[in-house]
Amino acid sequence: TRKDEMNCSVGKKRSKSIYGSLTMTQREYLYLRNDEGKTLDEIAEITGKPKTSIKSTLSSARKQMLNLIKNQL
């Protein structure tokens, strides 16, 4: 329906806004982890960064995204 299409459009805009608020590194790690299904070890190998740093960056990104979502509701 038209209403569903509008809700979907609004949702996509919010997702882009939330995703866009992250740093490039946060987006890269989230992409590798969630979209590509890479393990922390694989991301560390790809990026040359310590696994603990990647884990911390992913955690911070998720918390930041959650806070943004909560503030939009």
Side-chain angles (χ1 to χ4, degrees):
T1 66
R2 180 73 177 145
K3 185 177 179 181
D4 290 336
E5 288 176 12
M6 289 175 61
N7 285 338
C8 185
S9 177
V10 169
K12 286 180 182 179
K13 286 179 184 176
R14 283 184 182 159
S15 294
K16 285 183 181 180
S17 173
I18 290 168
Y19 195 69
S21 72
L22 302 175
T23 67
M24 183 62 106
T25 301
Q26 288 173 321
R27 290 193 301 264
E28 177 186 15
Y29 292 174
L30 283 169
Y31 172 78
L32 290 170
R33 183 75 166 146
N34 298 334
D35 295 348
E36 295 290 321
K38 303 289 185 193
T39 65
L40 292 175
D41 288 325
E42 290 171 326
I43 297 170
E45 186 176 319
I46 291 166
T47 63
K49 301 292 182 186
K51 189 167 99 170
T52 54
S53 175
I54 294 164
K55 193 173 182 179
S56 174
T57 300
L58 285 169
S59 177
S60 295
R62 290 182 184 122
K63 286 178 187 175
Q64 183 178 338
M65 290 171 56
L66 182 60
N67 285 333
L68 288 168
I69 291 167
K70 285 180 179 179
N71 289 334
Q72 288 184 359
L73 297 178

